[in-house]
Amino acid sequence: MLPKVKLLERLVESGVIAVIRRIPEDRIEQVADSLVRGGVTALEITVDSESAYASIATLSSRYQGRAIVGAGTVIDSESAVMAIKSGADFIFSPSLHQGVIRAALRYGKIAVPGVMTPTEMITAVEWGADLVKLFPAAALGVQYLQDVKAPFPHIPIIPTGGIDEHNVAAFIEAGAAAVGIGGKLLNRRAIAAGDFAAVEQTARTIVDAVRRARVDCGKSA
């Protein structure tokens, strides 16, 4: 089991957390394989998906050393504990729940609650969150992220919702630690057709865009 500091490094390593929601059970391993080949180092299985806990167990065992697996859409502590016992290394929520944060921290896992306002951000950190998920990111916009990073440069923020290859660089340049991407990363038509190469290519394109944006940020600094 990786120590938490290593889990945090792996979570943001590629800059992309893949949000895997309601993918057919018989295709989830092929989809996950494609994402990992494309450079994604963090796979989030939403607990509203069929057989979510079984998928977390399977994938967390499958990608040891290559990627970490966690749970998403977690809104109660019971679901958080079930996910962790299934092998989840991180817990994402769409909203702010103290019980979920406490459950993750109790087991030494990463807690990433969903927030929107500055008050929610600082409350999440005071409750022990490791990072925060800014949701819905596209609706709030890049400028919003940049504005809240000004008073909170110490809070790692992961924007999620509506991010794709066209706007991901802007979010990274505005200060995002990483981004969460679901539907824009997982083309359901391609998955239904068994075109996993397309999924891999999309992942690679977005991961490369993040890498370039990070390099540009370093140059501008």
Side-chain angles (χ1 to χ4, degrees):
M1 182 173 66
L2 289 173
K4 191 169 183 179
V5 64
K6 293 296 183 182
L7 292 177
L8 286 164
E9 290 174 0
R10 183 56 60 89
L11 180 68
V12 301
E13 181 180 332
S14 71
V16 177
I17 293 92
V19 182
I20 303 175
R21 184 187 304 278
R22 297 174 187 160
I23 297 298
E25 188 177 357
D26 63 345
R27 305 220 163 190
I28 195 165
E29 289 185 37
Q30 292 167 296
V31 168
D33 283 349
S34 300
L35 293 169
V36 173
R37 286 196 303 269
V40 174
T41 58
L43 307 174
E44 173 191 331
I45 311 299
T46 65
V47 298
D48 59 351
S49 301
E50 186 177 353
S51 303
Y53 301 109
S55 295
I56 290 170
T58 297
L59 298 181
S60 62
S61 175
R62 187 180 183 88
Y63 300 117
Q64 289 184 22
R66 291 190 291 158
I68 62 171
V69 178
T73 318
V74 179
I75 59 174
D76 58 74
S77 58
E78 293 81 7
S79 298
V81 172
M82 287 176 64
I84 291 166
K85 289 185 175 181
S86 297
D89 282 321
F90 58 85
I91 303 293
F92 271 74
S93 301
S95 40
L96 182 58
H97 305 276
Q98 188 173 23
V100 174
I101 296 172
R102 285 177 171 173
L105 299 182
R106 186 180 307 127
Y107 289 92
K109 305 303 181 182
I110 300 169
V112 193
V115 299
M116 179 183 288
T117 68
T119 298
E120 288 177 334
M121 290 181 189
I122 200 65
T123 298
V125 171
E126 289 174 347
W127 285 351
D130 298 291
L131 310 93
V132 297
K133 167 182 171 177
L134 182 63
F135 178 80
L140 293 167
V142 172
Q143 187 61 53
Y144 184 85
L145 171 61
Q146 190 170 325
D147 289 346
V148 296
K149 283 296 290 184
F152 298 141
H154 60 292
I155 300 180
I157 300 176
I158 300 178
T160 305
I163 298 176
D164 58 23
E165 68 270 25
H166 302 296
N167 61 14
V168 66
F171 278 99
I172 295 296
E173 290 166 0
V179 297
I181 309 180
K184 303 293 185 180
L185 182 61
L186 300 171
N187 185 308
R188 293 190 178 274
R189 288 186 178 179
I191 293 169
D195 186 3
F196 301 108
V199 175
E200 178 181 344
Q201 184 55 53
T202 300
R204 193 179 307 281
T205 296
I206 295 175
V207 169
D208 284 348
V210 170
R211 178 185 53 77
R212 290 194 300 271
R214 285 174 166 176
V215 169
D216 289 344
C217 288
K219 287 181 178 178
S220 63

